[in-house]
Amino acid sequence: MPDYYIAEDGTIHDREAEHRSRTQHTAAPAVADTTAEDTPEVSFARQFVYWLFALSASVFAAVCVFHEMQAAFTPPAHLDFLEDYVQQFVFEHAKALVIIITVFCIYLYGKTGAKKHRYNVLAYLCTVSVCCFAPPAAVFVLMAAPILMALALAVLVLGIVGLVKMAFG
């Protein structure tokens, strides 16, 4: 009758079979355990196709969203407030800013998420979703920028006026 035992890892072993195995075969050299996972190298062509797709899709999405939202960026005919001047500056550079922000978002995802997924189909799907959400978010930030900048300037001016009043009484 075989002599069975349970090893520390939970597997069942037969002492007699192991003894016969050790006497018949010479011991193999010990293989060093690697703690880091061995990740296969992704080919250059796969990376190139991904980046070509991601960057062209992000620029295309940014241009499409900008053209749809262009009416919201149209500055007023007369400029009488600081907010109007800021809005005109944003309007002049809005298309480039939307494209830059969208490409930057795609770059951040590509360096982290797509690399982690080894540029597979899931990386493409996530890239498309980032391309869909990044340009409208950039447009929202650009539309809110004049108002936020005017508010920040007003707070700064009121703060300086308050400091002057405190200093000179």
Side-chain angles (χ1 to χ4, degrees):
M1 184 162 165
D3 184 19
Y4 292 110
Y5 71 97
I6 298 175
E8 290 179 8
D9 61 354
T11 58
I12 300 173
H13 295 276
D14 181 6
R15 289 184 204 272
E16 292 176 18
E18 286 178 358
H19 180 65
R20 283 189 302 253
S21 171
R22 272 187 246 135
T23 57
Q24 292 175 355
H25 301 291
T26 58
V31 179
D33 291 334
T34 57
T35 56
E37 291 183 17
D38 295 328
T39 56
E41 230 7 78
V42 179
S43 69
F44 173 77
R46 190 176 202 176
Q47 292 179 16
F48 180 77
V49 168
Y50 169 79
W51 283 107
L52 181 70
F53 167 77
L55 295 177
S56 61
S58 65
V59 170
F60 179 73
V63 169
C64 289
V65 167
F66 178 79
H67 283 297
E68 289 296 320
M69 300 299 289
Q70 192 168 11
F73 283 111
T74 305
H78 60 286
L79 302 174
D80 50 351
F81 292 112
L82 176 66
E83 183 180 336
D84 295 334
Y85 288 105
V86 173
Q87 186 176 2
Q88 182 180 7
F89 173 78
V90 169
F91 177 72
E92 290 172 1
H93 305 291
K95 185 184 273 186
L97 290 173
V98 169
I99 291 173
I100 288 169
I101 290 171
T102 305
V103 169
F104 182 69
C105 290
I106 290 298
Y107 173 76
L108 288 179
Y109 172 73
K111 286 308 246 182
T112 57
K115 190 174 186 179
K116 183 178 100 181
H117 294 294
R118 296 191 316 262
Y119 305 100
N120 61 7
V121 175
L122 182 61
Y124 283 93
L125 293 175
C126 291
T127 299
V128 169
S129 65
V130 170
C131 285
C132 291
F133 291 116
V139 168
F140 175 75
V141 168
L142 290 175
M143 288 174 63
I147 296 168
L148 294 175
M149 289 176 69
L151 287 173
L153 186 62
V155 167
L156 182 68
V157 168
L158 291 175
I160 292 172
V161 168
L163 287 174
V164 170
K165 282 185 179 181
M166 282 177 38
F168 297 112

